[in-house]
Amino acid sequence: MPDFLSFISEILWGSVMIYLLLGCGIWFTWRTGYIQFRYIRQFSKSLKRSLKPGEGGLTSFQVLCISLAARVGSGNLAGVALAITVGGPGAVFWMWVAAIIGMASSFAECSLAQLYKERDANGQFRGGPAWYMTRGLGMRWMGVLFSLFLLLAYGLIFNTVQANSMAHALNYAFDIPFNFTGVVVAFFALLVMMRGMKGVARLSQWLVPLMGLVWVVTCLLISLWHIGEMPDIINMIIRSAFGLQEAAAGAVGYSVSQAITSGFQRSMFSNEAGMGSTPNAAAAAASFPLIRRRRASYK
C-alpha cells in the first residue's frame, strides 16, 4: 500500500499537477485579460469597499483574512526551505512564477464560488468547488468526492503539518515538549471553532493583519540586514532557475526539472491557488451588486 501511494503521489504531484496548474493559470490569465496586472489600481478601492458588512454574509475583508490565515503559515516558512533544499535556489524563482500565474486561478475559483453559492437553513452563505461542480457542471458525484477529499486534507493533513512545524520550531528554540505544543494548539483551535464561522471571521480580521504585518516587517528587516548580499542572491536564484550554474556539470536538465517541480509544489502548498480550498471561504462573503446580477443571470 505505501508503494502504491508513493507511485500515485509521484505521478500526480510530480508531473500531472504541475502541467495542470501551469496550463490553467495561463488560460485564466489570458481569459481574464491578465487580471493580476490589470486590477492593481483597484486594490485600494476594493479593500475599502470590503469593510462594509453585507446582507446575510461575512464582509469581503473577513473572508480575505480567513484565506490569508491559511496562506501565511508554515508553507511560507518550512515550505520554502524544503523547496530550496530539494530544488536548489532556482525553486524560489519558479515559486514567484507560480504565484503570479496562480493569482488568475484563485480569482477564477473564488468568482465561481460567488456565482454558485446558496443560503443554508440559518441564512448563511455556503459554496465552493463542490457547489459549482454540482450546479455548474451537473456532476454531483464529483462534488461529493471533492468534499470527502477536502475533509481528509483539512481534517488530518493540513492542521497536522501546521502543528508539526510549530512544535518543532518551539522545541528547537525553547525546548518545549512536542505534546505540550500539540495540546495547546488543539485547545485554542477548539475554542475558535466553537464560536462558528462568524467567530472565526471576527478573530481573523484582527489577528491576520497583525500576523501579516509582522511577517512583512520581519522579511524587510532581514533583507535590509543582508542588503549587500541581495544582488548575489538574486543572481544565484535566476541562474539556478534556468540551469546556468549546473550547465558545466552536465546536469542542467535534471536541475531545472527539480527547481520547477519544487517551486510549483511549494507554491501551491503556500498560496493554495487551484487547490479549491479558499473558494469555500470566498463563498461566505456577501455579494456586491455586480456579482448579484451575474448570479441572477446564471439561474
Side-chain angles (χ1 to χ4, degrees), residues 83-101:
I84 295 175
T85 302
V86 176
V92 177
F93 175 83
W94 294 111
M95 288 186 72
W96 296 341
V97 173
I100 293 173
I101 295 176

Side-chain angles (χ1 to χ4, degrees), residues 49 55 68 137 139 143 145 164 203 239 252-253 260 267 282 287:
R49 289 186 297 173
E55 178 185 353
L68 285 177
L137 297 177
M139 299 180 179
L145 191 62
N164 182 68
L203 177 64
R239 290 178 61 84
V252 58
I260 295 175
S267 179
S287 305

